[in-house]
Amino acid sequence: DAPVAPDYNNAYFWVARPDKKDTSDLVPMALNIRHDLTNKDVDVFFVHSTGFVGPGGWNSTMEIENSEAQSIEYMLSSMASIFNGCCNIYAPHYREANIQSFMPEKFKFGTQALDLAYQDVANAFEYYLQHFNQGRPFIVVGHSQGSTHALRLLEEKVDNTYLFRQLVAAYVVGYWLPKDKFSRGFEQITPCTGADQTGCIVSYDTYGQDGQLDSKVPHWYKTGWESSELEGGSIKPTLCVNPLNWTNTLDKVSEKEHLGAMPVEFKRTPVNMLLANNPGFIFQELPALTNELTWAQCMEDGRLEVMPQADNLFSNHLDQPNKSYHVLDFSLFYGNIRQNAIQRVNQFMATNSAS
């Protein structure tokens, strides 16, 4: 019952591209930045999160009338736009897996749906390399389901290949990255431990104080899919890189280091989701950043804890019992990530120019 595969020769199947007008082009108010959104020296390959949560099959049909199209507007404006200060942004539309694919009781069929979604992402990346990249350095970015596919893409297509020389960094956020991926999978790519390191991965998952990691989420390995839950009920040790100091230490970093959160309103209501309707809201502008909003600390179990966000512009519209701030993973740290991406690009270009 798989939907028809996307044709990446058709611009429709790119939700963001430098030659298209889309919400990844937006810049937050008060940054006073007017820059060329094309012809940068570095690219971003962005894999969006799960928007397919309503009725239907295992994989999205990618129709503009579907409610996930509204989620993609949110993702491009609150996540992908972070990188328009450094890079040309390419983001494929793909047959994303339904959110139920991540449910533990649906592991067998859910992972098959994730495999299908990944096929599209891998095909889009190959098309991007052949038709758009022209040998430029690139950053890989993913969130949630997008991080699942981005990690697999990095391991299968970039790590230990000639493309590693073009990898500036990867920001794979909002999913649990088991530390054993760096002993059982990646050979060249490492966790980021500094702000100007290149060829490395930034990963974290945001929670309020005393939050709790979800258990039994699927992870892809070359040997097959595995659950994050180990025998006995414990969770695999998870990587956390703190976006306020770009290390994986357990230090609590003060809000003085916070360079700005960006409160993009989540416009899709539960009714829209359940009925699979796209309310049609288009983000026309982004509000100004809010500086010094929160401290951040990586915890022993891999969570990134932040100051509770309640009754303010950054309240989580999909509040979870485990205190997850999943929808805000990127937007809470918009300013820090934007600056850091520019910093890593500059370091990469300087190092490669010198060599």
Side-chain angles (χ1 to χ4, degrees), residues 61-127:
T61 59
M62 303 170 291
E63 294 172 5
I64 196 66
E65 296 83 7
N66 292 353
S67 63
E68 61 261 29
Q70 183 68 87
S71 283
I72 291 172
E73 284 287 315
Y74 174 85
M75 297 163 197
L76 293 178
S77 58
S78 66
M79 303 177 195
S81 69
I82 292 174
F83 299 93
N84 64 30
C86 68
C87 306
N88 312 302
I89 299 172
Y90 295 88
H93 207 171
Y94 65 98
R95 292 173 292 179
E96 59 178 281
N98 192 294
I99 195 170
Q100 293 193 51
S101 300
F102 295 92
M103 304 301 177
E105 66 275 13
K106 299 183 178 180
F107 186 89
K108 177 181 177 181
F109 296 111
T111 53
Q112 291 179 35
L114 290 168
D115 281 337
L116 180 67
Y118 173 73
Q119 288 178 25
D120 290 350
V121 173
N123 289 338
F125 186 66
E126 293 288 352
Y127 188 93

Side-chain angles (χ1 to χ4, degrees), residues 44-354:
V44 156
F45 188 81
F46 176 82
V47 190
H48 66 74
S49 340
T50 305
F52 186 31
V53 301
W58 281 103
N59 293 82
S60 167
T61 59
M62 303 170 291
E63 294 172 5
I64 196 66
E65 296 83 7
N66 292 353
S67 63
E68 61 261 29
Q70 183 68 87
S71 283
I72 291 172
E73 284 287 315
Y74 174 85
M75 297 163 197
L76 293 178
S77 58
S78 66
M79 303 177 195
S81 69
I82 292 174
F83 299 93
N84 64 30
C86 68
C87 306
N88 312 302
I89 299 172
Y90 295 88
H93 207 171
Y94 65 98
R95 292 173 292 179
E96 59 178 281
N98 192 294
I99 195 170
Q100 293 193 51
S101 300
F102 295 92
M103 304 301 177
E105 66 275 13
K106 299 183 178 180
F107 186 89
K108 177 181 177 181
F109 296 111
T111 53
Q112 291 179 35
L114 290 168
D115 281 337
L116 180 67
Y118 173 73
Q119 288 178 25
D120 290 350
V121 173
N123 289 338
F125 186 66
E126 293 288 352
Y127 188 93
Y128 153 76
L129 291 173
Q130 293 175 20
H131 297 273
F132 301 135
N133 175 254
Q134 299 179 335
R136 287 187 297 272
F138 59 84
I139 296 172
V140 174
V141 181
H143 181 253
S144 193
Q145 178 175 166
S147 289
T148 308
H149 304 313
L151 286 167
R152 184 172 177 179
L153 188 76
L154 287 164
E155 188 171 343
E156 286 194 328
K157 305 292 186 181
V158 179
D159 185 64
N160 210 26
T161 75
Y162 74 95
L163 287 174
F164 177 74
R165 294 174 297 176
Q166 292 172 241
L167 179 66
V168 176
Y171 296 80
V172 285
V173 174
Y175 204 72
W176 309 265
L177 173 50
K179 291 182 178 179
D180 69 359
K181 291 293 290 183
F182 298 97
S183 58
R184 298 176 53 197
F186 295 114
E187 297 180 25
Q188 289 181 295
I189 299 173
T190 61
C192 292
T193 57
D196 59 357
Q197 184 181 351
T198 59
C200 61
I201 290 179
V202 170
S203 183
Y204 61 86
D205 195 44
T206 316
Y207 292 78
Q209 287 177 280
D210 303 318
Q212 184 177 3
L213 280 175
D214 289 320
S215 61
K216 296 184 180 179
V217 294
H219 295 286
W220 179 86
Y221 292 82
K222 290 177 181 176
T223 53
W225 289 91
E226 297 180 15
S227 170
S228 59
E229 186 174 59
L230 300 170
E231 289 186 18
S234 61
I235 305 298
K236 290 182 180 182
T238 302
L239 177 66
C240 174
V241 176
N242 192 323
L244 294 190
N245 68 358
W246 305 107
T247 74
N248 57 1
T249 67
L250 303 183
D251 299 330
K252 185 175 183 178
V253 185
S254 164
E255 58 268 25
K256 297 295 183 183
E257 303 300 321
H258 183 254
L259 302 181
M262 201 268 297
V264 175
E265 186 176 353
F266 191 67
K267 289 287 185 179
R268 198 171 63 151
T269 68
V271 172
N272 296 144
M273 293 176 175
L274 291 172
L275 298 179
N277 291 330
N278 179 3
F281 182 84
I282 303 295
F283 292 93
Q284 302 290 347
E285 60 181 21
L286 299 182
L289 301 182
T290 301
N291 298 326
E292 299 186 7
L293 177 74
T294 183
W295 48 262
Q297 181 177 17
C298 287
M299 310 305 290
E300 288 280 359
D301 62 2
R303 284 175 299 117
L304 179 72
E305 275 200 1
V306 299
M307 186 179 75
Q309 304 298 308
D311 301 322
N312 66 7
L313 289 173
F314 300 89
S315 298
N316 190 343
H317 298 276
L318 298 175
D319 196 22
Q320 302 294 318
N322 64 350
K323 301 183 181 179
S324 170
Y325 286 131
H326 187 63
V327 176
L328 304 177
D329 284 318
F330 270 103
S331 58
L332 270 181
F333 301 101
Y334 193 104
N336 292 81
I337 301 170
R338 187 179 182 92
Q339 182 192 71
N340 182 249
I342 294 171
Q343 182 177 356
R344 292 188 200 272
V345 163
N346 290 340
Q347 180 63 45
F348 183 94
M349 302 302 279
T351 300
N352 283 274
S353 174

